[in-house]
Amino acid sequence: MLRRTETSARRFCCGGAVLSRFQLISVTFAVLLAGFILPPLPTLSDSPDIPGMPGPVLAQEIDESDAVEVQGVTVPAPEGIEVDLFNLANRDRIANGLPSLQLDSQLLEVARVRASAQTNQMSLSHVDASGQLVFVRLISETDVNYRLVGENLARVSNPAQTAPERAEEALMNSPAHRANILEPTFDSLVVGAALDPNGQIVFAQIFRAGA
């Protein structure tokens, strides 16, 4: 996690990222230890389905037709699989006694850029060539304020219909990613998705606690 006044950020799942602006170097190092040095998850298509998982009936689910107006500008609505992963994250929060997250339409484009940026990469990564957290820089270039932000990355194979469920299962089975999904401080989430040249789907979850 990273905080602006603090912030958070693998293959198939990239370690969840979160950092402090007063201790950026030390917190970045802590995030690297906690989020990036993880044993690899199994290929998601080889992961068994979890029996008995609750259905996707949630309070406060969003619909992909729900375009939102932000500061006088109409923001495109998230698409189907983006909506599905958003709702699955909220399902897991509710199941763990946490409030659901609001849709963060202001950062939808950032989430899609982050997902698209992984499509030509062998391994998912939160950082650029200089070692900086890319999603933090992108958010900083917007007018969006935050106290804490975080990022989860995941890549799964087709079919698209089951990709969100398989991605969420893998994320929840990874301690660093699970920590982002179940972080009590976060109050909003947005999901971006992109298709890589091999037909795999990349997801980026961007979490935020408002200023």
Side-chain angles (χ1 to χ4, degrees), residues 86-108:
F86 174 91
N87 286 331
L88 288 168
N90 270 337
R91 180 194 68 183
D92 287 331
R93 284 179 64 90
I94 292 168
N96 283 274
L98 295 168
S100 59
L101 300 170
Q102 300 298 311
L103 174 63
D104 196 346
S105 299
Q106 293 176 282
L107 295 183
L108 177 57

Side-chain angles (χ1 to χ4, degrees), residues 97-151:
L98 295 168
S100 59
L101 300 170
Q102 300 298 311
L103 174 63
D104 196 346
S105 299
Q106 293 176 282
L107 295 183
L108 177 57
E109 187 59 29
V110 170
R112 287 176 171 171
V113 167
R114 290 295 298 132
S116 295
Q118 312 304 314
T119 58
N120 292 315
Q121 305 300 319
M122 291 294 294
S123 298
L124 304 179
S125 178
H126 298 286
V127 300
D128 60 20
S130 66
Q132 300 300 305
L133 290 168
V134 181
F135 78 101
V136 174
R137 173 175 56 77
L138 292 175
I139 295 173
S140 298
E141 292 171 356
T142 71
D143 294 327
V144 176
N145 295 315
Y146 63 84
R147 290 181 292 114
L148 187 71
V149 294
E151 175 183 75

